[in-house]
Amino acid sequence: MHSFLRNYPTEAKLLAVLVVICAALSSASPSFLTLVNFTDLLNNNAVNVIWAVGLVVVLIAGGIDISFAVAASVVQYLCVFVFGWIGGGNWAIGFVVAGVLGISLGLINAFLIHQFRIISIVVTIATFNAFFGLLMFFSSGRFLYNLPGWWSDRLILWEYETSGGTWAEIRLPVVVMVVAMFATWALIRHTTTGRQLYAFGDNPEGARRAGINIALMQAIAFGWMGMMAGIGGLMQSHITREVVPNALYGRELEVLAAVVLGGARLGGGRGSVLGCFLGVALIAVTQNGLNLMGVSPYAFKMVVGLTILIAISMSNLDFSAMTAPKRRDL
Amino acid sequence: MAEPAIRLTSVSKRFGGVQALDSVDFAVDAGEVHCLAGENGCGKSTIIKIVTGVYQPDPGARIELFGEVVEKVTPQEARARGIAVIWQDLALFPEMTVAENIAFETMLGNRPRRVSYPAMRKRAVAALARLDVDLDLDARLNTLPIAQRQVVAIARALVSDARLIFMDEPTASLTQSETDALLDVVRKLSARGVAVVFVSHRLAEVLDISSRVTVFRDGRLVGVYPTEGMTQGRLTELMTGKHFETTVAARDVTGPPVLEVQGLTRQGEYADVSFTLHAGEVLGLTGLIGAGRSELGHTLFGMSRADAGQVLLDGKPVRFPSNRAAVDAGIAYVSEDRLSLGLIQPQSIADNTVMAVLKRITSGGLISPAKKAALVDHWIRELAVKIGEPTDAVSTLSGGNQQRVVLAKWLATEPRVLILDSPTVGVDVGARAGIFRIVRQLAETGLAILLISDEATEVLANADRVLHMAGGRILGEYDPRETTLQGLEAAIYA
Ligand SMILES: Nc1ncnc2c1ncn2[C@@H]1O[C@H](COP(=O)(O)OP(=O)(O)OP(=O)(O)O)[C@@H](O)[C@H]1O
Ligand SMILES: [Mg+2]
């Protein structure tokens, strides 16, 4: 417990905030603390978590990616064509195709960043616009509904009828989310490559002098992000049963906020899978709670914004520093 | 003749307008402790970076590592061939734990492997044991003071089974006992056949530890000399081309009191500290690292608050809520940890120099380029900072020249009280003399100067009075004109 607090101070604070909000919401709305509501929350936010664990790897390596949500849309579109072309496909092929397409888009970012030494925010804003422009151009903004059956049919992996007659269920995206979380955790905590990513984000010059392959780091970070973007895209269409070219536009900021909330640092070198999950959960729970209480959607966007602001400033506060005199960097 | 570990021939390196190295040769034998000496900016760190593939030399260089000519050295290549480095700027990972920093080389390699945290800790423990120090392995590096980070950087180089270790000013921020432990380790390494290249501006150390010394001046090779029979004076002459005398500068000060400290106490840092600093006086404050000297400096500069006691400035009690208030009151503080507290590395030399005096160079709300240039030129000339262009980033300067920029930044504020905390750490002999000449001149104009230093020679030569601090308390006051070096050192190491 002590070492958890020490190694994951942000995550611990976030968890505490989450518990307080959950307690407040469960007393404010009787339908909040129910099994059905919780499984719904999981099903609806699994894709955000999948993206978040991809994005956190980029942030750990000292970069940022604005383009992943649009990249996910591109992958969805290309998947529809690939599956049509090979005459159907199945889940195994689906994951491989979406993953590979996503990785390819991620590698474009990595290549531009490394080759031309442009900072990642500039590169990914550019690719964000390029991906989106190309997508709208080639799709003419049309929706696609002709997804293969295996893709669009709901896959319920666990269900339970509550005493009230409603069903609590866990769908495929939640399982994929768990696998993505586990894989990312294994990568960043338990492989040498993962530790190199942290080191690279923490002190790029130090990493270079230590003999870390910088190009490889960029490729792995953005490749991993791309893979998660593609798989998240696949899951998103599984949920909505359609491909809408601009449906994911804007989601990148929501996910980015969640990841930063979860303790990842924009300067690199810090971030965890647990933090991603808690960050997404905090935003999701706040929205959900306000929704249940019948608050206007406009108001709750604002409340979510405030929550992010408060949580982030809390996590950056060092309480011992508040009592000490100020040291301005002159 | 022993086998050469490395042999470099006609290595040159140019950075924009600066010829950092000009066709130098450098060779180190296996198992030898070889010292690399020279003034700030003469190219010592640059040649280390070339041997280790961080920089590529300009065409024409020949690099031979352990008997094999290597066309293009990369950091991976250098490491694989058994070269380890303690970098002058440490190059550690601040967000990682001590254990992970020390044993980081177990994480290297392009092919992913499983991380074994227990194995990593075991290596870290072993490396720290060799240095005979105890550090919390799970502490995050950025929570440690600079001296402990230095220890981590040293331990990291010891972890590897290197055949050649470069140590770029490893002792700059170490305590005496840590330095002794390091020198001991160096001797043991050398006995085992590991070659060590040692860079330090503490010439006594250099002569003590090494068997040969290579001297650079202005990017050119001066020569390679055996240390037997070499004196500090001779080495200084080789490095600078000049001759320096150490004399005692102390004199009687008659100026009015400027800064009076009365019974100042801060729990766990220093206790019941009282002294008076007069206008025109250089007051030396010495003692071992950890005596509470820097902590006292922090309080005087408004970076921490005392629990008891008071500070009078011109006879009036003052309390600074922040360091900005202290600057406004005319106090300047040159920090010991220049790399993190003193400078903004990626910004230009000019911007760093004027950072604390922006108000004075603005006209009509905008920065006046002419005033800025004049100010920057003045201080660069005054302190003889070796630079390419004032618009170059501070990070491109050699360590000692960065220190001079910090000094320039604070002198530009035209303070009334100047606190110098170890101002010559990592600064070469020639520049030290230059810095102290300026300190003297400033005192002559009426500035009150508190000189914090752990080098007894330095305070004796340059201060008017010397206070000795230990365990957070002031134990004694000495007049340099009546005190011998042996006398003061006996008190310090007692
Ligand atoms: N990346 C760089 N860009 C531009 N100039 C550089 C760069 N690195 C070093 N220099 C310049 O090369 C010269 C040699 O620098 P170097 O760091 O090797 O000096 P040094 O001998 O290690 O000095 P010190 O004792 O102060 O550490 C200096 O004038 C420095 O300003
Ligand atoms: Mg150097």
Side-chain angles (χ1 to χ4, degrees):
Chain A
M1 184 63 207
H2 174 75
S3 73
F4 175 76
L5 279 179
R6 181 169 172 184
N7 293 331
Y8 300 96
T10 318
E11 286 83 348
K13 276 180 219 158
L14 196 55
L15 188 61
V17 172
L18 193 61
V19 168
V20 170
I21 291 182
C22 284
L25 287 176
S26 50
S27 65
S29 160
S31 43
F32 177 74
L33 201 64
T34 59
L35 188 61
V36 175
N37 190 41
F38 267 82
T39 50
D40 276 356
L41 271 173
L42 271 177
N43 289 324
N44 294 337
N45 288 284
V47 172
N48 275 359
V49 175
I50 294 172
W51 284 334
V53 294
L55 184 58
V56 80
V57 176
V58 170
L59 287 185
I60 285 169
I64 194 169
D65 189 353
I66 305 294
S67 69
F68 68 86
V70 172
S73 292
V74 173
V75 171
Q76 290 175 339
Y77 245 81
L78 293 175
C79 276
V80 173
F81 290 111
V82 172
F83 300 153
W85 181 50
I86 62 172
N90 56 38
W91 274 117
I93 295 176
F95 278 114
V96 171
V97 171
V100 168
L101 288 172
I103 291 173
S104 315
L105 294 178
L107 290 181
I108 294 179
N109 281 329
F111 174 79
L112 293 172
I113 291 167
H114 182 75
Q115 194 63 33
F116 303 110
R117 318 274 148 168
I118 313 173
I119 52 172
S120 54
I121 188 160
V122 173
V123 167
T124 58
I125 286 177
T127 50
F128 162 87
N129 284 306
F131 292 163
F132 192 64
L134 286 171
L135 184 61
M136 293 310 278
F137 180 75
F138 284 107
S139 69
S140 321
R142 267 195 309 273
F143 296 17
L144 301 179
Y145 301 103
N146 54 337
L147 309 189
W150 60 265
W151 193 1
S152 58
D153 292 342
R154 291 260 150 88
L155 220 76
I156 296 170
L157 298 172
W158 175 85
E159 56 188 347
Y160 174 81
E161 189 173 4
T162 60
S163 51
T166 49
W167 286 86
E169 56 192 31
I170 292 286
R171 302 203 205 116
L172 177 67
V174 177
V175 177
V176 175
M177 169 190 91
V178 171
V179 173
M181 285 172 68
F182 179 79
T184 306
W185 172 78
L187 170 77
I188 62 180
R189 287 294 307 168
H190 290 287
T191 70
T192 50
T193 310
R195 303 318 288 169
Q196 290 180 21
L197 286 166
Y198 275 95
F200 172 54
D202 200 0
N203 181 351
E205 175 61 19
R208 197 170 78 83
R209 287 195 213 158
I212 290 176
N213 185 336
I214 303 303
L216 188 65
M217 291 298 109
Q218 299 282 22
I220 290 171
F222 284 89
W224 192 265
M225 168 81 259
M227 180 174 80
M228 292 302 171
I231 288 172
L234 191 73
M235 287 300 106
Q236 181 67 22
S237 295
H238 169 68
I239 295 168
T240 58
R241 303 171 165 201
E242 62 188 9
V243 171
V244 179
N246 59 354
L248 304 178
Y249 189 99
R251 288 282 282 279
E252 60 280 336
L253 293 184
E254 195 180 324
V255 175
L256 179 62
V259 174
V260 173
L261 208 54
R265 204 175 62 146
L266 289 172
R270 204 191 284 178
S272 70
V273 169
L274 175 67
C276 291
F277 184 81
L278 293 174
V280 173
L282 184 71
I283 295 182
V285 164
T286 316
Q287 270 188 16
N288 171 256
L290 294 169
N291 223 345
L292 291 177
M293 293 193 302
V295 177
S296 134
Y298 294 115
F300 77 59
K301 278 266 179 229
M302 193 181 72
V303 173
V304 169
L306 276 178
T307 318
I308 293 176
L309 209 60
I310 293 170
I312 288 184
S313 45
M314 278 206 23
S315 66
N316 284 336
L317 283 185
D318 174 357
F319 291 100
S320 63
M322 285 179 70
T323 52
K326 280 201 198 97
R327 198 197 102 222
R328 301 233 197 111
D329 284 311
L330 293 164
Chain B
M1 173 98 195
E3 238 173 274
I6 55 166
R7 191 202 299 274
L8 313 185
T9 358
S10 50
V11 174
S12 300
K13 180 74 186 171
R14 197 176 177 82
F15 296 105
V18 179
Q19 187 76 41
L21 289 174
D22 189 359
S23 190
V24 298
D25 300 341
F26 181 55
V28 180
D29 290 342
E32 172 190 32
V33 181
H34 194 113
C35 183
L36 190 54
E39 289 183 291
N40 293 133
C42 72
K44 302 181 296 294
S45 300
T46 303
I47 202 157
I48 296 175
K49 287 179 186 162
I50 285 176
V51 180
T52 51
V54 173
Y55 293 154
Q56 293 305 320
D58 294 341
R62 184 167 173 282
I63 300 179
E64 198 180 304
L65 304 180
F66 305 103
E68 227 178 288
V69 177
V70 183
E71 279 310 321
K72 182 175 187 291
V73 191
T74 61
Q76 288 97 323
E77 173 89 44
R79 200 178 59 83
R81 288 179 188 259
I83 298 178
V85 188
I86 301 168
W87 300 102
Q88 190 174 12
D89 57 2
L90 308 186
L92 295 168
F93 304 113
E95 292 281 346
M96 293 191 159
T97 63
V98 166
E100 217 170 338
N101 267 290
I102 294 177
F104 194 78
E105 68 145 38
T106 57
M107 308 284 169
L108 292 171
N110 286 345
R111 187 169 306 150
R113 278 169 289 119
R114 226 188 111 89
V115 175
S116 163
Y117 287 95
M120 196 180 78
R121 291 177 69 95
K122 228 167 87 190
R123 277 178 163 240
V125 169
L128 288 174
R130 283 170 74 181
L131 286 168
D132 204 17
V133 286
D134 210 14
L135 284 182
D136 178 359
L137 289 180
D138 299 314
R140 241 196 275 163
L141 189 86
N142 56 13
T143 63
L144 302 186
I146 180 82
Q148 291 183 4
R149 293 186 203 188
Q150 180 74 63
V151 172
V152 171
I154 295 170
R156 179 169 73 170
L158 297 182
V159 159
S160 57
D161 287 318
R163 289 193 280 171
L164 169 64
I165 305 182
F166 284 99
M167 303 190 174
D168 199 351
E169 298 194 34
T171 57
S173 49
L174 293 188
T175 64
Q176 192 60 43
S177 66
E178 284 162 347
T179 302
D180 291 342
L182 176 66
L183 296 184
D184 218 45
V185 169
V186 168
R187 282 186 203 102
K188 281 185 198 146
L189 286 170
S190 152
R192 276 188 11 215
V194 178
V196 176
V197 175
F198 199 84
V199 179
S200 170
H201 289 293
R202 299 183 175 179
L203 300 184
E205 230 167 67
V206 165
L207 295 177
D208 178 23
I209 190 75
S210 59
S211 54
R212 287 196 301 165
V213 51
T214 292
V215 179
F216 284 178
R217 191 192 306 157
D218 267 336
R220 270 187 290 268
L221 178 69
V222 175
V224 186
Y225 309 89
T227 46
E228 218 179 281
M230 176 70 83
T231 61
Q232 288 193 38
R234 171 94 184 100
L235 190 52
T236 305
E237 254 182 79
L238 290 170
M239 285 164 57
T240 60
K242 293 186 209 104
H243 187 70
F244 291 92
E245 298 268 2
T246 41
T247 50
V248 173
R251 71 215 141 83
D252 288 316
V253 176
T254 50
V258 178
L259 186 76
E260 287 165 85
V261 175
Q262 298 173 344
L264 214 60
T265 301
R266 184 170 154 90
Q267 207 64 47
E269 294 190 347
Y270 51 83
D272 199 22
V273 171
S274 302
F275 62 86
T276 303
L277 179 60
H278 302 85
E281 180 178 39
V282 180
L283 178 60
L285 183 61
T286 188
L288 298 175
I289 290 182
R293 303 165 315 173
S294 298
E295 290 75 6
L296 178 64
H298 288 169
T299 301
L300 295 177
F301 190 51
M303 280 162 49
S304 66
R305 277 186 204 136
D307 301 327
Q310 63 172 349
V311 178
L312 307 181
L313 191 63
D314 294 324
K316 285 186 274 311
V318 284
R319 263 191 110 95
F320 302 124
S322 72
N323 55 353
R324 170 79 66 181
V327 172
D328 288 343
I331 296 186
Y333 174 71
V334 177
S335 118
E336 151 190 54
D337 180 8
R338 62 169 183 270
L339 291 180
S340 68
L341 293 182
L343 293 173
I344 302 180
Q345 293 281 338
Q347 286 197 6
S348 74
I349 297 160
D351 287 346
N352 271 287
T353 308
V354 300
M355 195 158 27
V357 290
L358 290 177
K359 249 184 259 161
R360 264 201 291 117
I361 56 163
T362 49
S363 48
L366 293 176
I367 290 182
S368 146
K371 281 189 196 170
K372 176 172 160 183
L375 194 70
V376 171
D377 280 350
H378 172 77
W379 286 112
I380 286 176
R381 205 158 358 90
E382 198 72 20
L383 297 181
V385 190
K386 187 182 177 222
I387 63 165
E389 289 295 324
T391 48
D392 291 348
V394 157
S395 57
T396 66
L397 291 183
S398 78
N401 279 303
Q402 292 189 7
Q403 180 73 333
R404 291 184 217 191
V405 175
V406 180
L407 203 58
K409 172 179 117 177
W410 288 111
L411 291 179
T413 65
E414 294 177 6
R416 310 199 31 237
V417 177
L418 176 63
I419 304 172
L420 296 171
D421 194 349
S422 314
T424 57
V425 165
V427 173
D428 66 58
V429 261
R432 280 176 199 218
I435 286 176
F436 285 119
R437 201 164 44 241
I438 294 162
V439 165
R440 234 337 118 190
Q441 281 164 8
L442 292 168
E444 256 51 306
T445 65
L447 199 68
I449 296 169
L450 183 63
L451 170 65
I452 303 176
S453 169
D454 57 341
E455 290 192 34
T457 23
E458 200 164 279
V459 285
L460 280 182
N462 298 294
D464 296 314
R465 275 189 301 145
V466 175
L467 299 176
H468 169 219
M469 196 165 175
R473 287 172 189 278
I474 296 205
L475 296 189
E477 181 180 325
Y478 299 84
D479 182 338
R481 287 165 294 186
E482 292 156 13
T483 313
T484 61
L485 182 60
Q486 289 77 5
L488 183 57
E489 279 187 338
I492 292 176
Y493 296 115

